[in-house]
Amino acid sequence: MTNKPLSARARRALVALVLHPDATTNRTVHAEFGFKIESAERSELDGRELITFSRGPHNAFVHQLTDAGLQQCREELSAVAPDDAKPADRILFATWQLLARTLPDTLPALRSFLGMSPPSLPERILAVYQELAARPGGPVGLEKLREHLDAERKEVDRTLLEMDGRREIHLEPDPDRGGLTPEAREAAIHLAGRPMHLLRVRA
């Protein structure tokens, strides 16, 4: 991973996602902070594994902070004021340093720090998908998804079917039926009488 300093736009996007770490769209970022996370900074942050992203409802980008992104933000906020900084800027840097020392070092602790409720099951499904997908819009096997979700199978199945019905995700059968492992077959969910083995989120 590169040690090159983040661009100013990537840095502000990262700080925004620390304040909104889960399944955050540009609509939220713009409403709260007056800017959008554009392609250049999104690619910069994703390339350094500081965030993940996918496409959500209405084809909107959905951004997810990673633990590495949280650590990077702590480093960015710990920066020392330049020698020629004005007094007001020195106070701002000191405030950032205090925040950096206060920020938790894991995402669950950050959510608690921000007074956030635990993410809903649909949010967790999207977050796991973003973590496991080899590329935006790529397939993820349901057996892999289930391994990362601490939830009852019936609840997961119901939620997956509801999300598919709302077109937030797309469930599909594996075209290589003969190559399926017993675990993949067991993890399948039935939709319209057919076993679905894969999950996609539109890229």
Side-chain angles (χ1 to χ4, degrees), residues 5-17 35 37 40-42 44-45 48 50-51 76:
L6 289 175
S7 66
R9 287 179 176 270
R11 190 180 302 114
R12 74 176 186 179
L14 184 63
V15 173
L17 293 176
F35 70 91
I37 301 174
E41 53 264 33
R42 183 182 301 113
E44 183 178 352
L45 294 172
R48 293 175 62 165
L50 305 180
I51 67 167
E76 297 287 340

Side-chain angles (χ1 to χ4, degrees), residues 15-75:
V15 173
L17 293 176
V18 167
L19 297 173
H20 292 277
D22 295 311
T24 302
T25 64
N26 265 332
R27 174 180 243 177
T28 298
V29 174
H30 188 264
E32 288 282 336
F33 308 112
F35 70 91
K36 294 182 179 180
I37 301 174
E38 304 293 352
S39 176
E41 53 264 33
R42 183 182 301 113
S43 297
E44 183 178 352
L45 294 172
D46 178 61
R48 293 175 62 165
E49 300 180 355
L50 305 180
I51 67 167
T52 60
F53 68 92
S54 64
R55 294 279 193 171
H58 309 295
N59 212 31
F61 282 107
V62 179
H63 307 88
Q64 179 77 32
L65 184 72
T66 66
D67 281 317
L70 176 56
Q71 296 299 331
Q72 181 67 34
C73 187
R74 286 162 57 96
E75 293 179 18

